[in-house]
Amino acid sequence: RLRRRLRIVQYVVLAFLCLAMARPQRRWQEEKSTAEALDIMLVMDISLSMLSRDFDPDRLEVAKKVAIDFVQKRPHDRIGLVAFAAEAFTQCPLTMDKTVVTGFIRTLQTGHLEHGTAIGMGLATAVNRLKDGEASGRLVILITDGENNAGYLSPMKATELAATFGIRVYTVGIGSDGVVMSPEGQNADGSYYFAPRMMHFDTELLQEMAAQTKGRFYRAESAEDLAGIYDEIDRLEKTKVEIEVLHHTRDYFQWPLAAGLALLLLEFFIVRVWIRSVNDL
């Protein structure tokens, strides 16, 4: 009876051998990218006028949201952040970590710096961060809503420094023309009260700054305008990426082959050794 049942083992061995001959395997691919990355400094105005309500909810919140969207579209570039009012400081140095950059952008608030608009100081701070970089391209995106009225370095002097180091400057003027609701003062609890205010905008200055550095000047009078400006800059400053695809293969035929050979040896032992020894008894 045992000898007859061993035929089932032979069929199982044959099935394992057929499976091994079919050569089961796992294939996957790996992509390696080489990018000519850019160094980009975002320079954002955080003066009180950025709380003006011609944008919903205000200019600063819209500027932050659109800047975050732009950063997330640039995975291969190093990006940093400078904030300025009457003075300027580096909020985030150049980094590849987009989570860190977007986190700093979200924390931008007015009121931390002396009131005023020092466009030259903001640009100079960004240039200082970019001047020693070895990236294939270096650029500044400067967003402001007012006239330069503070700082010991003029915007044009800072522009000359940017041009000297081959840094392109894209200037963005944010805000609508005419009378807007803008912060007039601060309440006892720290909140601001608003009043109608005629906004002044130095378009010629921003145009000249962009022209001298081979950049461009843009005017954003709505959130849609600002998003479109960032999209255009994204197209103009595309990073070149070379992708190498590596194919990997792992074979698994050895497992059914080993199982088949093990069963074959077991069948041989039972028939040639164990059954014969029983018959001899």
Side-chain angles (χ1 to χ4, degrees):
R1 286 196 303 271
L2 181 59
R3 192 189 300 273
R4 287 196 300 270
R5 292 178 179 176
L6 286 177
R7 187 170 296 277
I8 299 175
V9 176
Q10 294 173 354
Y11 290 140
V12 174
V13 170
L14 182 61
F16 275 127
L17 294 180
C18 288
L19 182 60
M21 292 176 63
R23 195 182 175 187
Q25 58 185 209
R26 174 173 172 261
R27 300 190 67 189
W28 73 96
Q29 67 182 33
E30 177 184 354
E31 291 187 353
K32 292 185 177 181
S33 60
T34 303
E36 295 183 14
L38 304 178
D39 284 349
I40 303 173
M41 289 299 297
L42 300 177
V43 181
M44 299 186 66
D45 188 344
I46 58 170
S47 60
L48 279 182
S49 58
M50 287 293 287
L51 296 179
S52 298
R53 293 176 174 173
D54 49 345
F55 285 64
D56 184 22
D58 55 52
R59 295 173 180 176
L60 182 58
E61 288 303 315
V62 172
K64 288 160 58 174
K65 179 181 182 302
V66 178
I68 289 172
D69 292 339
F70 174 79
V71 169
Q72 292 173 340
K73 293 177 183 177
R74 312 287 303 195
H76 304 292
D77 300 318
R78 293 198 307 167
I79 300 179
L81 176 64
V82 169
F84 74 94
E87 51 189 336
F89 69 98
T90 302
Q91 182 84 351
C92 177
L94 289 167
T95 178
M96 290 286 293
D97 193 333
K98 303 307 182 292
T99 302
V100 171
V101 180
T102 56
F104 276 114
I105 293 174
R106 289 190 178 95
T107 62
L108 286 177
Q109 295 181 27
T110 61
H112 294 306
L113 299 176
E114 185 180 346
H115 299 328
T117 304
I119 297 174
M121 297 298 295
L123 177 56
T125 303
V127 170
N128 187 52
R129 289 288 179 174
L130 291 170
K131 62 183 178 66
D132 297 323
E134 298 179 356
S136 59
R138 294 168 294 171
L139 60 133
V140 170
I141 302 175
L142 187 149
I143 301 176
T144 184
D145 69 342
E147 299 174 312
N148 185 77
N149 56 22
Y152 59 83
L153 190 67
S154 71
M156 293 314 302
K157 187 63 177 179
T159 301
E160 291 175 12
L161 292 174
T164 300
F165 291 107
I167 299 170
R168 288 185 301 282
V169 179
Y170 291 89
T171 54
V172 181
I174 183 173
S176 56
D177 292 320
V179 178
V180 299
M181 295 297 293
S182 187
E184 184 72 14
Q186 203 165 7
N187 297 310
D189 61 359
S191 62
Y192 295 98
Y193 58 89
F194 292 74
R197 178 182 170 191
M198 177 64 73
M199 301 300 293
H200 299 286
F201 200 88
D202 196 344
T203 301
E204 292 183 2
L205 171 65
L206 297 182
Q207 288 175 333
E208 185 65 21
M209 291 172 67
Q212 287 201 18
T213 58
K214 300 180 180 180
R216 292 192 181 186
F217 164 73
Y218 299 94
R219 183 68 189 273
E221 297 186 5
S222 67
E224 292 74 18
D225 288 346
L226 190 57
I229 290 166
Y230 271 110
D231 287 341
E232 181 171 340
I233 296 174
D234 183 55
R235 290 192 299 269
L236 291 172
E237 300 288 350
K238 271 299 182 185
T239 299
K240 297 179 181 179
V241 181
E242 296 179 1
I243 298 178
E244 179 184 1
V245 180
L246 304 177
H247 295 279
H248 301 273
T249 303
R250 177 174 293 174
D251 289 308
Y252 294 98
F253 71 88
Q254 63 270 21
W255 299 107
L257 179 61
L261 291 177
L263 287 176
L264 191 61
L265 289 174
L266 178 63
E267 189 263 351
F268 178 83
F269 174 79
I270 293 175
V271 172
R272 301 297 181 183
V273 179
W274 188 71
I275 292 182
R276 178 171 295 181
S277 65
V278 171
N279 289 337
D280 291 343
L281 293 174

